């Protein structure tokens, strides 16, 4: 019999969702896994606003792999600067 899911991770996801008053939560085993999952939800031509002090490996992944291969653009912004963040929003 195949076991679906992981009961410990499921309990963790439900606990985090409850603590955040969210309907769902998805836990990943690493930041790279989470980053990859989110990137694959995007489409060519999409633009991402990313905090400017994101982990260096993530920034390189965005600039050198995702941007040229998937045609997704990135704006790296100081999230402490509300004006800078607002200037990048398509509102």
């Amino acid at each position: 019999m195949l076991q679906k899911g992981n009961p410990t991770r499921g309990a963790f996801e439900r606990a985090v969702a409850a603590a955040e008053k969210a309907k769902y939560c998805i836990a990943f085993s690493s930041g790279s896994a989470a980053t990859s999952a989110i990137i694959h939800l995007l489409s060519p031509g999409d633009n991402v606003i990313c905090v400017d002090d994101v982990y260096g490996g993530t920034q390189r992944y965005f600039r050198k792999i995702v941007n040229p291969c998937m045609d997704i653009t990135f704006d790296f912004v100081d999230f402490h600067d509300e004006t800078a963040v607002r200037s990048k929003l398509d509102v």
Side-chain angles (χ1 to χ4, degrees), residues 63-79:
R63 289 181 190 270
K64 299 202 179 269
I65 296 173
V66 177
N67 175 258
C69 295
M70 297 179 72
D71 192 31
I72 296 170
T73 58
F74 295 86
D75 289 313
F76 297 95
V77 181
D78 178 356
F79 278 20

Side-chain angles (χ1 to χ4, degrees), residues 3-17 25-29:
Q3 177 181 347
K4 286 188 171 186
N6 177 308
T8 303
R9 186 177 68 221
F12 172 75
E13 290 170 339
R14 287 188 298 279
V16 171
C25 170
I26 300 174
F28 293 90
S29 61

Side-chain angles (χ1 to χ4, degrees), residues 35-36 39-40 57-67:
T35 299
S36 179
I39 290 299
H40 284 88
T58 301
Q59 192 172 124
R60 281 188 298 281
Y61 171 66
F62 289 165
R63 289 181 190 270
K64 299 202 179 269
I65 296 173
V66 177
N67 175 258

